[in-house]
């Protein structure tokens, strides 16, 4: 029983605000808990917040490049226009790398989620019991297409934002400005060192190249995407300020999940939960779900578009693949190593890739020609 | 390098698990798809329903009337004469004593005076007039002729008074039935403290009249259908002509025309035949007994479906927020209205989640609640021999049974039952050490919360989901509860009711519709119709 088109909104288009939230929820994930440690490890001075900010600005620039590139091919995702720009087979290889990257990152997110759950909530539970239902649930959501995904993100995000802000406000009582001093005490070099690690938390911005194609009003794309990216930049910035300010660099480096440790280290007496780590964990789990679904969606969309496969079939086929990726790291240190290598490949794939593509597109289509009609 | 890759290839258990991970969703998906195709077959082509006007059907007369009175009478007797409640009164009309017969069913025509008047008129009528002349002179507000014997006899059984006159090849149907009907009473399932006390009755004409009586407008349209293959019933859709979206109207028309059912006993069966997704636990049409609720929905561009024989009207499309709204929100001032509405959202959350939160805190994460509270709870649970899930199940199921029993019991016994069930059994169960007193509080709060849902059938949905949530919590604790929440979100975000996303206005964000969501803004600010309905006329004034 299908409803006539004009009453329902077109099924595979999303509004600008939805796109902003999808982008935001794709990036705001594991980083909330790990960012302070991973950045501090490479910066080693309290200047990590500068790295996060600078990294954020760089990523914004990259997003703008990706956006401009995608806007040259209206209604087409990166998987479709890459082949137009650099030819069929090289394009396919690029797309496959991208898809592989998405699948690995999805697996990484699930694994990180499972590790936190195992550590804080379900000690002694076999890890497959945690990951498998999560993967299934994601498959159920992704089957509904971008619209359902965007809707779930819209439910989850306000809750996450609220809890995050409340827990940071509460942790203000531990905040000591001295922990953030001295600013640039060792010069600019540590900040540049830290940029590498900040890239990982921003990996995920690549979905811009598929999101733009699904926008209802592509004219508002720039505003939507910049909003979408500034929210996680802002939140990560606040996170690192609060955690370093509350815990100091030394303890941030030694703890596995510094943000949880920060929230665990104070008690609110006379409240239902004395420690705020519980709500923080809840929203973080939901946020990880969004993260994973976004990558899952992008990889299945990519596979189905590159090889002309059925979207549903691809989703089912990817379910065991993601599960196996999840199980590959042997312990938590390998999980973090995997995360780092994702960050590096992210630099390779997504800082250089869109720039190259844009250049080639500029040369081949002389900027004036919009796009070839399919 | 190679060896490091080799060492990272997971063992065979992982591949086996991966296989399972693949197989289970495929099987579930297949079952789901199969169940869905079942639904498609069920609602096949548009037969069995014909749109009619109030005056009658357009069916071809397969057994036409003959001019011969005896022949006609024999056929009427043959068709329906065996029924003990059919009365055939033969008389001689007018001066020339033309033979005629008045046929009607006992109890369907209350007005004795009318019968006498008609007979008197017939007896005194001058002969030689055509039947249409007779119709003009009959002192009732409705009469029409038919030349189909089948329609004639059916109409008699449905309650029309019928007249056959010698020498005329048409039968006369006088006065539509007005059988026994119930008085207008306060709606039982949606009672309010403030607001009109009028509820629908079982009589369709009375119900449409009640909607018309809400106020003066030329826009209120009522279209009538007949549904049912074996026993036909009248069904009316009601909408405001210059507000409703024409596409929505078309969709509702199409869905009603495709209804195939033996007999539509209640609007509930209509609801199940026109809904989008029959596998969803959430209702996709709102039912109400209140005319004021119907008119308010119509003003928002929705469509109401009324069925003869039931006081429950359906409103489509429905969104999740509508299920937690009560007309009273608008009748009280906006601050209490808002607070009550938020309270209801909270109650809905408690009604679904409280027992599963209890289970996950008690049996998985006692460390997450304040230590003293945890200690108290554990202390009271010491004598309880069951795990938390069984403990909660025992109490929840007995509460559900109590509630079910309470509905069946006659009114004087009901409260007594509540006391016996709730107080005595609860207290005794604690004394006997089957459940902990803390749990009794949780279950009681849950039960009371689910009573505060203004739409009864939405309450049932939440009760159902509560048990699913408990299972999730029992298996995976807090993590399971979060998964359950996400599952419900995923499902709701996919669900549509007549093309409207079920979760609007939460998502897609329509900020202007938020004025009437968690918060009930002052009435002068709610000056636009909901965007989600894409109404023809946007401004309320």
């Amino acid at each position: 029983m299908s409803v006539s088109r004009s009453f329902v909104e077109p099924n595979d288009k999303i509004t600008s605000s939805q796109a902003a939230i999808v982008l935001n929820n794709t990036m705001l994930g594991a980083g909330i808990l790990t960012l302070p440690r991973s950045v501090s490890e490479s910066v080693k001075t309290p200047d990590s917040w500068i790295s996060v900010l600078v990294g954020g600005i760089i990523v914004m620039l990259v997003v703008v490049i990706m956006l401009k590139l995608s806007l040259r091919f209206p209604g087409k995702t990166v998987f479709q226009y890459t082949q137009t720009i650099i030819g069929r087979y090289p394009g396919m290889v690029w797309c496959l790398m991208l898809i592989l990257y998405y699948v690995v990152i999805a697996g990484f997110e699930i694994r990180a989620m499972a590790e936190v759950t195992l550590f804080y909530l379900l000690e002694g539970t076999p890890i497959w019991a945690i990951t498998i239902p999560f993967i299934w649930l994601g498959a159920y959501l992704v089957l509904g297409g971008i619209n359902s995904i965007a809707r779930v993100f819209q439910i989850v995000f306000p809750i996450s934002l609220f809890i995050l802000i409340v827990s940071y406000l509460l942790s203000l009582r531990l905040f000591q400005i001295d922990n953030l001093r001295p600013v640039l005490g060792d010069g600019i070099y540590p900040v540049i060192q830290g940029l590498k690690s900040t890239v990982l938390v921003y990996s995920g911005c690549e979905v811009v190249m598929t999101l733009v194609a699904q926008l209802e009003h592509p004219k508002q794309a720039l505003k939507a995407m910049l909003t979408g990216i500034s929210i996680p930049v802002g939140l990560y910035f606040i996170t690192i300020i609060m955690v370093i300010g509350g815990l100091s660099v030394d303890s941030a480096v030694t703890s596995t999940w510094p943000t949880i440790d920060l929230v665990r280290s104070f008690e609110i007496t006379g409240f239902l939960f004395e420690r705020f780590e519980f709500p923080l964990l809840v929203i973080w789990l939901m946020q990880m779900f969004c993260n994973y679904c976004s990558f899952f969606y992008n990889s299945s969309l990519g596979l189905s578009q590159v090889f002309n496969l059925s979207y549903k079939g691809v989703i089912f086929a990817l379910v065991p693949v993601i599960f196996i990726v999840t199980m590959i790291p042997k312990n938590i240190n390998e999980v973090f190593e995997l995360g780092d290598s994702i960050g590096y490949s992210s630099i390779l794939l997504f800082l250089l890739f869109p720039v190259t593509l844009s250049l080639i597109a500029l040369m081949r289509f002389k900027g004036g020609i919009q796009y070839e009609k399919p | 390098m190679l060896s490091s890759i080799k060492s990272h290839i997971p063992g065979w258990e992982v591949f086996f698990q991966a296989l399972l991970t693949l197989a289970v969703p495929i099987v579930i998906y297949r079952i789901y798809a199969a169940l869905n195709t079942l639904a498609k077959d069920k609602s096949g082509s548009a037969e069995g329903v014909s749109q009619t006007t109030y005056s009658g059907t357009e069916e071809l007369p397969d057994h036409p009337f003959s001019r011969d009175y005896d022949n006609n009478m024999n056929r009427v007797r043959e068709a329906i004469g065996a029924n003990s409640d059919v009365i055939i009164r033969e008389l001689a009309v007018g001066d020339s004593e033309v033979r005629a017969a008045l046929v009607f069913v006992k109890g369907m025509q209350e007005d004795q005076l009318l019968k006498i008047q008609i007979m008197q008129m017939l007896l005194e009528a001058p002969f030689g007039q055509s039947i249409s002349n007779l119709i003009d002179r009959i002192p009732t507000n409705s009469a029409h002729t038919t030349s189909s014997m089948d329609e004639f006899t059916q109409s008699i059984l449905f309650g029309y008074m019928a007249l056959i006159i010698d020498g005329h090849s048409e039968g006369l149907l006088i006065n539509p039935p007005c059988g026994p009907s119930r008085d207008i009473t306060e709606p039982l399932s949606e009672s309010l403290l403030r607001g009109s006390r009028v509820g629908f009755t079982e009589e369709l004409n009375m119900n449409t009249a009640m909607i018309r009586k809400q106020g003066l407008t030329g826009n209120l349209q009522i279209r009538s259908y007949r549904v049912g293959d074996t026993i036909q019933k009248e069904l009316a859709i009601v909408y405001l002509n210059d507000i409703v979206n024409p596409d929505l109207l078309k969709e509702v028309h199409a869905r009603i025309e495709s209804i195939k059912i033996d007999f539509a006993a209640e609007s509930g069966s209509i609801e199940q035949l026109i809904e989008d997704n029959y596998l969803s636990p959430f209702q996709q049409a709102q039912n109400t007994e209140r005319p004021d609720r119907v008119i308010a929905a119509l003003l928002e561009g929705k469509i109401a479906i009324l069925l003869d024989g039931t006081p429950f009207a359906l409103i489509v499309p429905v969104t999740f927020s509508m299920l937690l709204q009560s007309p009273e929100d608008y009748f009280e001032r906006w601050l209490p209205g808002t607070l009550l509405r938020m309270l209801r959202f909270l109650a809905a959350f408690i009604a679904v989640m409280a027992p599963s939160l209890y289970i996950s805190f008690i049996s998985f994460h006692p460390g997450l609640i304040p230590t003293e509270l945890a200690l108290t709870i554990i202390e009271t649970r010491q004598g309880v021999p069951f795990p938390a899930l069984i403990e909660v199940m025992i109490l929840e199921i007995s509460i559900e049974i109590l509630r079910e029993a309470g509905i069946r019991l006659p009114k004087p016994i009901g409260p007594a039952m509540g006391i016996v069930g709730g107080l005595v059994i609860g207290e005794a169960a604690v004394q006997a050490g089957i459940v902990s007193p803390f749990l009794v509080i949780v279950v009681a709060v849950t039960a009371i919360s689910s009573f505060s849902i203004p739409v009864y059938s939405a309450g049932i949905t939440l009760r159902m989901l509560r048990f699913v949530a408990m299972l999730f919590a029992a298996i995976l604790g807090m993590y399971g509860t979060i998964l359950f929440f996400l599952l419900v979100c995923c499902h709701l975000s996919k669900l549509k009711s007549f093309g409207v996303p079920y979760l609007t206005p939460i998502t897609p964000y329509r900020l202007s519709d938020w004025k009437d969501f968690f918060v009930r803004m002052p009435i002068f600010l709610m000056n636009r119709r909901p965007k989600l309905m894409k109404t023809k006329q946007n401004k309320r004034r």
Side-chain angles (χ1 to χ4, degrees):
Chain A
M1 293 185 195
S2 65
V3 189
S4 44
R5 275 275 148 207
S6 48
F7 187 63
V8 196
E9 38 224 287
N11 213 9
D12 38 3
K13 296 284 174 200
I14 51 175
T15 63
S16 320
S17 65
Q18 281 180 323
I21 285 184
V22 171
L23 180 61
N24 159 60
N25 272 18
T26 309
M27 291 194 286
L28 197 66
I32 301 176
L33 300 193
T34 56
L35 171 80
R37 177 179 46 78
S38 60
V39 181
S40 306
E41 265 174 4
S42 44
V43 179
K44 297 194 179 69
T45 62
D47 296 329
S48 33
W49 57 274
I50 307 179
S51 296
V52 172
L53 265 192
V54 175
I57 291 166
I58 294 175
V59 170
M60 273 187 198
L61 289 177
V62 176
V63 163
V64 172
I65 294 176
M66 292 195 235
L67 182 80
K68 291 286 174 203
L69 180 66
S70 303
L71 281 178
R72 294 168 66 89
F73 303 92
K76 285 193 169 183
T77 65
V78 62
F79 306 106
Q80 290 164 322
Y81 63 68
T82 318
Q83 297 184 24
T84 321
I85 298 177
I86 57 173
R88 188 169 159 72
Y89 292 105
M92 250 182 190
V93 173
W94 268 123
C95 292
L96 267 183
M97 284 173 72
L98 219 159
I99 291 162
L100 185 73
Y101 168 81
Y102 282 146
V103 170
V104 172
I105 214 172
F108 164 74
E109 304 275 3
I110 297 177
R111 182 59 185 262
M113 181 282 301
E115 292 291 344
V116 172
T117 312
L118 275 177
F119 191 75
Y120 288 105
L121 291 177
L122 291 172
E123 242 169 292
T125 312
I127 189 160
W128 56 264
I130 295 173
T131 52
I132 291 181
F134 204 72
I135 295 176
W136 284 344
L137 192 57
Y140 174 66
L141 176 61
V142 172
L143 274 174
I146 184 71
N147 233 295
S148 313
I149 297 174
R151 282 193 209 126
V152 170
F153 286 13
Q154 277 181 320
I155 303 172
V156 170
F157 177 64
I159 308 175
S160 309
L161 189 68
F162 175 71
I163 301 282
L164 264 185
I165 288 178
V166 169
S167 34
Y168 290 152
L169 282 181
L170 288 174
S171 56
L172 264 181
R173 63 175 81 181
L174 295 180
F175 185 79
Q176 281 173 330
I177 194 77
D178 285 342
N179 283 338
L180 285 170
R181 283 179 187 149
V183 178
L184 292 179
D186 290 355
I188 197 82
Y189 183 68
V191 175
I192 295 167
Q193 278 286 307
L195 280 183
K196 261 190 323 197
S197 343
T198 50
V199 171
L200 169 63
V201 297
Y202 294 121
S203 60
C205 60
E206 303 83 17
V207 298
V208 168
M209 292 187 284
T210 44
L211 265 187
V212 173
Q214 282 141 343
L215 270 177
E216 214 172 3
H217 310 288
K219 281 187 181 160
Q220 301 165 3
L222 185 68
K223 205 176 120 195
M225 293 303 150
L226 284 183
T227 323
I229 199 156
S230 20
I231 301 170
V233 171
L235 282 176
Y236 279 142
F237 176 67
I238 300 175
T239 307
I240 198 136
I241 293 264
M242 290 323 287
V243 174
I244 302 293
L247 290 182
S248 83
V249 183
D250 297 333
S251 39
V253 171
T254 48
S255 97
T256 320
W257 315 101
T259 314
I260 294 190
D261 284 346
L262 171 74
V263 178
R264 272 165 85 96
S265 53
F266 58 86
E267 281 195 359
I268 318 146
T269 39
F271 192 63
L272 191 56
F273 319 105
E274 285 184 335
R275 284 177 318 233
F276 225 69
E277 101 218 43
F278 169 64
L280 183 71
L281 273 177
V282 169
I283 58 121
W284 187 77
L285 284 179
M286 298 205 286
Q287 209 58 45
M288 289 306 271
F289 178 74
C290 295
N291 255 256
Y292 145 68
C293 281
S294 181
F295 292 117
F296 192 3
Y297 169 74
N298 274 287
S299 50
S300 18
L301 187 77
L303 270 183
S304 71
Q305 283 184 346
V306 171
F307 297 105
N308 269 329
L309 299 169
S310 99
Y311 176 64
K312 281 182 183 163
V314 170
I315 292 174
F316 285 118
L318 278 179
V319 164
V321 178
I322 291 180
F323 176 71
I324 290 173
V325 172
T326 315
M327 300 303 272
I328 284 177
K330 284 187 202 135
N331 50 42
I332 192 148
N333 290 329
E334 287 194 7
V335 176
F336 292 133
E337 274 171 36
L338 177 67
D340 289 342
S341 40
I342 288 176
Y344 296 134
S345 52
S346 159
I347 300 179
L348 183 75
L349 274 172
F350 301 109
L351 291 185
L352 304 180
F353 177 54
V355 178
T356 333
L357 274 187
S358 302
L359 284 178
I360 299 175
L362 260 179
M363 285 190 289
R364 284 191 65 180
F365 301 112
K366 294 271 188 289
I369 307 161
Q370 272 288 303
Y371 69 106
E372 295 159 51
K373 286 215 163 126
Chain B
M1 179 70 186
L2 247 175
S3 65
S4 109
I5 290 179
K6 215 172 172 184
S7 74
H8 278 97
I9 292 177
W12 64 270
E13 326 85 52
V14 172
F15 284 100
F16 177 69
Q17 284 159 4
L19 202 70
L20 271 184
T21 324
L22 175 66
V24 173
I26 287 186
V27 169
I28 292 174
Y29 180 74
R30 279 281 153 80
I31 295 173
Y32 182 80
L35 287 175
N36 257 338
T37 40
L38 243 138
K40 295 265 157 52
D41 294 345
K42 178 188 68 189
S43 59
S45 54
E47 277 176 283
V49 179
S50 50
Q51 190 180 1
T52 58
T53 50
Y54 275 104
S55 55
T57 54
E58 262 88 0
E59 279 167 33
L60 284 175
D62 35 358
H63 294 292
F65 265 79
S66 66
R67 291 183 81 85
D68 181 16
Y69 171 78
D70 286 320
N71 192 5
N72 284 341
M73 280 312 291
N74 282 339
R75 276 166 53 196
V76 169
R77 284 214 171 87
E78 209 175 282
I80 57 173
N83 291 308
S84 54
D85 57 347
V86 172
I87 293 175
I88 302 177
R89 169 81 168 90
E90 294 187 73
L91 8 99
V93 179
D95 311 329
S96 40
E97 310 222 324
V98 178
R99 284 187 299 164
L102 204 57
V103 190
F104 56 89
V105 173
K106 267 193 274 185
M108 297 289 255
Q109 296 278 350
E110 292 291 293
D111 203 343
Q112 281 298 328
L113 197 67
L114 186 75
K115 280 180 211 159
I116 294 168
Q117 268 184 342
I118 290 174
M119 279 192 237
Q120 228 167 26
M121 188 212 85
L122 287 174
L123 293 173
E124 288 159 10
F127 174 65
Q129 285 184 334
S130 73
I131 258 194
S132 58
N133 264 350
L134 252 177
I135 292 178
D136 294 342
R137 296 191 43 191
I138 284 178
T140 72
N141 46 21
S142 161
H144 66 276
T145 60
T146 175
S147 52
S148 155
M149 182 56 87
D150 287 347
E151 194 205 327
F152 187 71
T153 48
Q154 264 182 30
S155 305
I156 294 171
L157 288 184
F158 190 58
Y160 282 87
M161 193 167 0
L163 181 66
I164 306 176
I165 301 178
D166 192 11
H168 290 281
S169 59
E170 280 178 322
L172 187 57
L173 293 171
I174 312 164
N175 220 35
C178 90
S181 69
R182 187 166 63 93
D183 285 341
I184 297 176
T185 51
E186 199 173 346
L188 207 65
S189 68
E190 291 163 278
S191 42
L192 291 185
L193 268 179
R194 184 167 181 183
S196 101
R197 305 229 183 274
V198 178
F200 285 131
T201 67
E202 282 77 5
E203 198 77 23
L204 180 66
N205 297 334
M206 218 141 130
N207 291 348
T208 49
M210 270 184 237
I211 296 176
R212 291 242 186 242
K213 270 177 83 178
Q214 296 282 322
L216 195 65
T217 168
N219 283 321
L220 187 69
Q221 301 286 319
I222 297 178
R223 295 277 175 278
S224 169
Y225 296 81
R226 289 214 175 148
V227 291
D229 289 340
T230 309
I231 299 180
Q232 292 202 331
K233 249 189 183 182
E234 202 174 339
L235 179 148
I237 65 172
V238 185
Y239 56 91
L240 283 172
N241 203 17
D242 60 350
I243 293 176
V244 74
N245 182 301
D247 292 322
L248 174 66
L249 190 61
K250 219 184 291 165
E251 180 67 24
V252 173
H253 269 291
R255 287 197 193 181
I256 286 178
E257 269 169 11
S258 70
I259 291 176
K260 264 175 129 179
I261 192 172
D262 217 20
F263 169 60
E266 218 269 340
S267 53
S269 24
I270 300 293
E271 176 186 345
Q272 291 167 55
L273 288 173
I274 60 173
E275 66 192 358
D276 292 60
N277 180 355
Y278 82 108
L279 292 170
S280 168
F282 290 90
Q283 64 189 108
Q284 289 137 57
Q286 188 184 16
N287 52 60
T288 179
E289 283 187 84
R290 305 187 60 89
D292 51 354
R293 203 165 195 163
V294 168
I295 206 81
L298 295 186
L299 279 168
E300 293 186 342
K302 294 177 178 116
I303 295 178
I305 301 171
L306 278 73
L307 184 73
D308 196 21
T310 170
F312 284 95
L314 299 178
I315 298 172
V316 292
V318 65
T319 57
F320 184 70
S321 60
M322 274 167 72
L323 303 179
L324 295 175
Q325 292 172 357
S326 160
E328 230 171 357
D329 298 350
Y330 303 93
F331 305 153
E332 284 297 338
R333 298 184 60 252
W334 76 277
L335 274 175
T338 301
L339 286 174
L340 287 177
R341 191 173 274 183
M342 285 179 167
L343 195 69
R344 253 178 258 132
F345 275 91
L346 180 71
F349 181 80
I350 293 176
V352 180
M353 290 300 202
S356 55
L357 286 176
Y358 173 82
I359 293 175
S360 41
F361 279 131
I362 293 304
S363 42
F364 287 87
H365 330 289
L368 290 178
I369 38 183
T371 326
E372 281 153 38
L373 181 61
L375 283 179
T376 323
I377 296 174
I378 289 167
E379 213 169 277
T380 58
R381 275 204 82 226
Q382 230 142 39
V384 180
F386 307 112
L389 175 70
I390 306 289
E391 187 195 1
V392 177
M393 279 286 183
I394 291 174
L395 215 53
E396 280 290 345
I397 291 178
S398 38
I399 286 266
E400 294 297 329
I401 295 173
L402 263 179
R403 186 189 297 203
E404 193 58 22
I407 300 172
R408 313 277 160 249
L409 282 177
K411 261 187 192 149
I413 313 179
M417 176 79 181
I419 294 169
V420 173
L423 294 181
V424 178
I425 293 183
E427 182 63 29
V430 171
Q431 296 271 314
I434 302 175
V435 296
S436 75
F438 189 76
L439 177 69
V440 176
I441 301 174
V442 171
V443 170
V445 170
T446 311
I448 293 168
S449 300
S450 65
F451 281 128
S452 71
I453 311 296
V455 179
Y456 175 69
S457 33
I460 300 179
T461 304
L462 297 186
R463 278 154 65 186
M464 218 155 60
L465 289 178
R466 178 196 306 157
F467 283 91
V468 183
M470 276 152 55
L471 285 181
F472 269 82
I475 298 170
L476 286 172
M478 202 55 226
Y479 177 68
T481 312
I482 297 170
L483 281 188
F484 171 77
F485 177 74
L486 287 172
L487 178 67
V488 172
C489 285
C490 291
H491 175 69
L492 284 175
S493 72
K494 286 181 163 191
L495 191 63
K496 282 182 174 175
S497 162
F498 285 80
V500 172
Y502 206 66
L503 278 180
T504 23
I506 314 175
T507 149
Y509 284 136
R510 293 177 207 275
L511 270 187
S512 59
D513 291 0
W514 276 65
K515 284 182 201 165
D516 189 16
F517 180 40
F518 285 122
V519 177
R520 207 279 283 161
M521 293 291 252
I523 284 179
F524 67 87
L525 281 176
M526 294 201 287
N527 48 5
R528 287 185 185 277
R529 299 184 204 287
K531 265 195 191 161
L532 71 112
M533 297 303 305
K534 304 209 166 84
T535 48
K536 278 203 250 175
Q537 194 190 61
N538 192 9
K539 282 202 167 176
R540 277 196 196 259
R541 54 191 166 261

